Amino acid sequence: MKLHIGIDLGTSNSAIARASFENQDPEIIPVIQIANAGSICEAPLFASALYIPIEEEAQKFSNKLPWPQNSPESNILGNYARERGAFNPERLISSAK
């Protein structure tokens, strides 16, 4: 089966969809992302947001995520980044292209 894949890298949100050549109805592919300090979830939209945590916040994730703390990979992306940025807007990057 051949598929069309569509990626929308929006200023506010990003999304991924697929459709087969036979069936023209697209299907949104959920994106796995951080839900909170201890869990991940799937969501149809991925917020176009980057949150740079302070060291104490990064430590909350250090034993729960598969990358080292205090590295560029310890930054938070997506919906949870947007939520955290509401409390610390100086650490949030959003609406950028």
Side-chain angles (χ1 to χ4, degrees):
M1 173 171 49
K2 294 184 178 183
L3 296 174
H4 293 285
I5 303 292
I7 302 172
D8 176 11
L9 299 175
T11 304
S12 299
N13 292 291
S14 297
I16 304 171
R18 67 178 169 204
S20 68
F21 282 105
E22 298 82 24
N23 181 3
Q24 295 301 315
D25 295 330
E27 172 191 0
I28 295 190
I29 301 170
V31 180
I32 297 172
Q33 54 193 293
I34 297 171
N36 57 47
S39 65
I40 59 172
C41 68
E42 290 185 352
L45 295 176
F46 188 83
S48 301
L50 168 68
Y51 181 76
I52 303 169
I54 58 174
E55 186 174 340
E56 293 79 22
E57 288 176 301
Q59 289 173 357
K60 291 181 186 179
F61 296 98
S62 65
N63 60 355
K64 296 176 177 67
L65 299 175
W67 50 79
Q69 68 182 38
N70 299 327
S71 68
E73 293 83 13
S74 67
N75 294 334
I76 302 166
L77 300 168
N79 297 334
Y80 188 56
R82 184 180 289 156
E83 292 170 13
R84 293 296 308 156
F87 298 104
N88 297 303
E90 69 279 358
R91 306 201 66 79
L92 177 68
I93 300 171
S94 63
S95 301
K97 283 195 175 189

